[in-house]
Amino acid sequence: MKKFYITTPIYYVNDIPHIGHAYTTIAADMIARFKKLDGFDVMFLTGTDEHGQKVGKSAEIAGVDPQDFVDKVSQNFKDLMPVIDAQYDVFMRTTEERHKTATQHIWKVLEANGDIYLDSYKGWYSVRDEAFYDASEIVDGKAPTGAPVEWVEEESYFFRLSKYQEPLLDYFEKNPGAIAPEGRKNEVLSFIKSGLRDLSISRTTFSWGIPVPGNAKHIMYVWLDALTNYITAAGYPEKMNFWPASLHLVGKDILRFHCVYWPAFLMSAGLPLPERVFAHGWWTAEGEKMSKSLGNVIDPVKLVDEFGADTVRYFMMREISFGNDGDFYLDNLKKRLDSDLANAWGNLVQRVLAFIAKNLDGKIDDIPQTDEEILKLSKGLINTLRQDIDSQKLHHYLEHVFELIYAANQYVDAQKPWTLRREAPKRMMEVLHVLLTLIRDIAIYLSPILTRSSKKVLEMLHIQGTTFETLQEPLNTNMTITPPEPLFQKSGV
Ligand code: MSP
């Protein structure tokens, strides 16, 4: 079985989860579910990033022991997963013992390869970004991200990042698909070309982290610790079952860590590089950056409470092109719910199933009409959708499935089964057979994103345990369709 390993970033446990965290997770979940249906052996990893100064400070402010603090906040992230219906395979916590072992191990390997040395660091650090910044990057006394910075002078271990400047450029030239979208790749390449300086990878002024092997005065840089989670989860330092990762999904803000530092660490450790890093954009809320001080942070739990997981998942993946920034307008979510989910998809299911339940005692004859154009369209769609998934064009995926839904609704209007019932009952059965097959196929195509309602539709058709192979099977007509409940409640705007 072909393997597919997909990851989200591990989330800082300094705060409660917000819509940005839900976003990466839903995207990864959609891709993981698609790959599972497509016959891959999938590992979907998510988790929490629990060390470092930022988390340590949050625990201090809360007046709680850091371990108790991270246990509690990490649980909030874990609890979010069933709410947004994200079916992860592994939830990594960087405070787990196996992760400490893996991180100290990779440190020793980098050291043995001559890539770590002791010196002292003098420069800017941003706790919010957990990042070191070069003086040339500081704008008006702030990090390029707008985060506050502080001056740091301390003894520090360094990683010979400069040594990897050329190997990285060479690698990305030979592997053009390794960073996407294209614009983000160019950002990374110009950062590398501007000259890589050795990277400080330990701190001595706080203690919340993994100690450097052999010198416990030093705590490992939280990004070296965090990035290593991707291999800890795969079994490192033992034989790794799932490595290299097929896809790291990340936000555009953490590109440098994933596309410069991480591949350099891996090269130094003699490990293969992830096949692809895809960076998505950022959500703003009704035109403004989301922030606690503005009080406009969107809580995914409340949103799901009000609209259901399917609607939230669909909206986030459909509303903006995956890779671009987007604005979260509640009105737009309601419009999508009403027009796409309720009026187009919900109505197709409703009108066909209700017709069969009401007029035919829920029974249709087994007279397949396989040469209909529209069935060919449906069967062929899987190839398009595979490409959409493999290029992370998740919005196109949904557009393509909805084109089929619109075509199916037009087919109902054109064929008029209610007229055929009187005039040509055999043809009516053919049409209904086509329509139920289409509804089955669409529900399967939508199941990576509309996880709950697709399951309901398949249950209405008495189908269980589908994969994409089901699409090629004839519809089982040996069943009784009962009057359907509406799939979606309109928002009422
Ligand atoms: N802990 C690091 C990642 C370590 S991975 C080895 C981290 N954590 S984070 O919690 O701050 O951010 C996690 C992800 O959430 C990032 O990919 C970030 O881009 C994403 N988002 C945070 N706010 C966001 C929006 N407003 N919109 C979209 N995604 C955003 O970085």
Side-chain angles (χ1 to χ4, degrees):
M1 224 168 154
K2 226 183 143 227
K3 289 186 191 269
F4 187 81
Y5 179 20
I6 181 165
T7 67
T8 71
I10 45 171
Y11 304 112
Y12 284 129
V13 288
N14 61 319
D15 207 351
I16 56 163
H18 64 67
I19 202 76
H21 304 125
Y23 185 50
T24 327
T25 314
I26 292 168
D29 185 60
M30 176 179 174
I31 298 172
R33 284 178 188 259
F34 181 94
K35 289 288 180 184
K36 283 175 190 166
L37 287 169
D38 211 14
F40 284 75
D41 180 14
V42 176
M43 177 154 105
F44 166 19
L45 170 73
T46 190
T48 42
D49 187 352
E50 307 191 2
H51 290 134
Q53 223 177 341
K54 169 149 119 172
V55 172
K57 272 193 178 169
S58 299
E60 211 176 292
I61 292 167
V64 190
D65 166 73
Q67 189 61 51
D68 293 343
F69 180 80
V70 298
D71 286 348
K72 187 164 164 285
V73 186
S74 173
Q75 191 59 42
N76 292 337
F77 280 87
K78 214 170 190 177
D79 291 344
L80 173 70
M81 301 298 156
V83 172
I84 55 175
D85 215 5
Q87 229 171 41
Y88 59 82
D89 298 296
V90 181
F91 190 98
M92 246 329 281
R93 297 187 53 192
T94 54
T95 48
E96 286 174 45
E97 204 48 41
R98 62 173 170 152
H99 178 66
K100 183 175 163 190
T101 308
T103 309
Q104 292 190 323
H105 188 91
I106 198 172
W107 178 286
K108 286 188 221 152
V109 176
L110 306 188
E111 196 170 37
N113 288 341
D115 282 339
I116 294 182
Y117 62 90
L118 187 63
D119 202 335
S120 67
Y121 178 78
K122 250 196 224 166
W124 297 104
Y125 190 78
S126 161
V127 177
R128 193 170 94 189
D129 298 346
E130 294 284 20
F132 298 94
Y133 288 109
D134 193 63
S136 62
E137 293 179 288
I138 304 297
V139 189
D140 296 332
K142 294 213 157 133
T145 56
V149 286
E150 57 194 49
W151 185 254
V152 172
E153 281 191 31
E154 61 190 9
E155 186 182 77
S156 174
Y157 284 96
F158 281 79
F159 172 74
R160 290 190 201 282
L161 188 61
S162 55
K163 181 173 143 189
Y164 292 94
Q165 174 158 339
E166 288 312 315
L168 284 172
L169 288 173
D170 190 48
Y171 182 84
F172 291 131
E173 195 178 321
K174 292 201 178 106
N175 297 274
I179 306 173
E182 204 60 20
R184 299 289 167 211
K185 179 165 87 182
N186 294 336
E187 254 177 54
V188 171
L189 293 181
S190 64
F191 176 74
I192 300 176
K193 284 179 190 154
S194 75
L196 294 181
R197 305 203 314 165
D198 290 351
L199 178 71
S200 164
I201 49 163
S202 76
R203 304 285 311 274
T204 52
T205 42
F206 65 93
S207 58
W208 183 238
I210 300 179
V212 166
N215 190 351
K217 196 170 81 178
H218 286 256
I219 296 297
M220 279 189 222
Y221 177 36
V222 66
W223 271 101
L224 173 54
D225 165 347
L227 289 161
T228 303
N229 101 90
Y230 299 133
I231 52 175
T232 307
Y236 188 79
E238 305 300 323
K239 184 177 169 314
M240 286 194 274
N241 226 339
F242 281 89
W243 190 259
S246 318
L247 181 63
H248 287 320
L249 277 189
V250 300
K252 62 178 185 178
D253 53 316
I254 52 176
L255 209 56
R256 188 184 293 190
F257 306 99
H258 284 84
C259 299
V260 183
Y261 302 167
W262 182 225
F265 296 153
L266 289 167
M267 279 178 177
S268 172
L271 293 171
L273 269 48
E275 283 165 21
R276 188 167 166 93
V277 177
F278 185 95
H280 64 69
W282 268 51
W283 285 93
T284 43
E286 320 246 334
E288 306 234 39
K289 194 174 166 182
M290 270 182 265
S291 81
K292 257 202 284 190
S293 51
L294 286 174
N296 65 346
V297 176
I298 299 172
D299 176 355
V301 178
K302 277 200 195 132
L303 211 57
V304 169
D305 260 0
E306 193 172 350
F307 298 100
D310 278 12
T311 302
V312 174
R313 290 169 62 99
Y314 176 74
F315 173 71
M316 298 207 83
M317 293 303 123
R318 177 68 182 76
E319 184 69 358
I320 55 169
S321 302
F322 198 57
N324 292 355
D325 291 336
D327 214 347
F328 199 107
Y329 281 98
L330 203 56
D331 273 355
N332 289 350
L333 179 142
K334 291 179 184 168
K335 278 186 204 145
R336 290 258 174 225
L337 165 60
D338 293 354
S339 66
D340 302 4
L341 298 182
N343 287 348
W345 172 223
N347 193 35
L348 173 68
V349 174
Q350 184 71 23
R351 67 204 292 215
V352 174
L353 270 62
F355 181 89
I356 297 172
K358 187 164 160 242
N359 300 305
L360 306 168
D361 290 331
K363 299 277 186 202
I364 67 157
D365 296 346
D366 191 15
I367 35 169
Q369 178 48 276
T370 48
D371 59 355
E372 300 276 344
E373 270 307 299
I374 194 162
L375 281 179
K376 284 190 205 133
L377 202 73
S378 175
K379 304 294 163 211
L381 189 60
I382 185 70
N383 298 319
T384 312
L385 298 181
R386 275 195 191 109
Q387 287 168 13
D388 291 340
I389 287 290
D390 288 339
S391 56
Q392 293 80 44
K393 294 203 165 64
L394 305 181
H395 54 295
H396 281 170
Y397 182 106
L398 297 173
E399 271 167 35
H400 287 135
V401 180
F402 269 78
E403 277 164 17
L404 183 61
I405 294 173
Y406 300 136
N409 269 320
Q410 277 164 9
Y411 182 80
V412 181
D413 297 341
Q415 299 291 332
K416 301 190 177 54
W418 50 92
T419 310
L420 292 174
R421 191 176 157 227
R422 273 176 279 116
E423 294 169 4
K426 186 161 177 285
R427 174 67 191 151
M428 173 199 69
M429 280 297 181
E430 284 173 353
V431 167
L432 292 174
H433 195 284
V434 168
L435 281 166
L436 284 190
T437 308
L438 286 173
I439 289 174
R440 174 195 72 178
D441 293 359
I442 294 166
I444 295 173
Y445 288 139
L446 286 175
S447 57
I449 192 75
L450 297 178
T451 53
R452 294 183 181 157
S453 51
S454 299
K455 193 157 165 262
K456 259 194 225 161
V457 173
L458 292 168
E459 276 167 12
M460 289 178 197
L461 301 177
H462 304 270
I463 301 171
Q464 281 159 352
T466 49
T467 67
F468 288 142
E469 278 176 12
T470 315
L471 298 164
Q472 308 308 330
E473 291 167 10
L475 181 79
N476 179 11
T477 51
N478 187 15
M479 56 162 171
T480 307
I481 305 265
T482 49
E485 293 285 317
L487 273 189
F488 299 95
Q489 295 298 334
K490 284 205 205 176
S491 73
V493 283

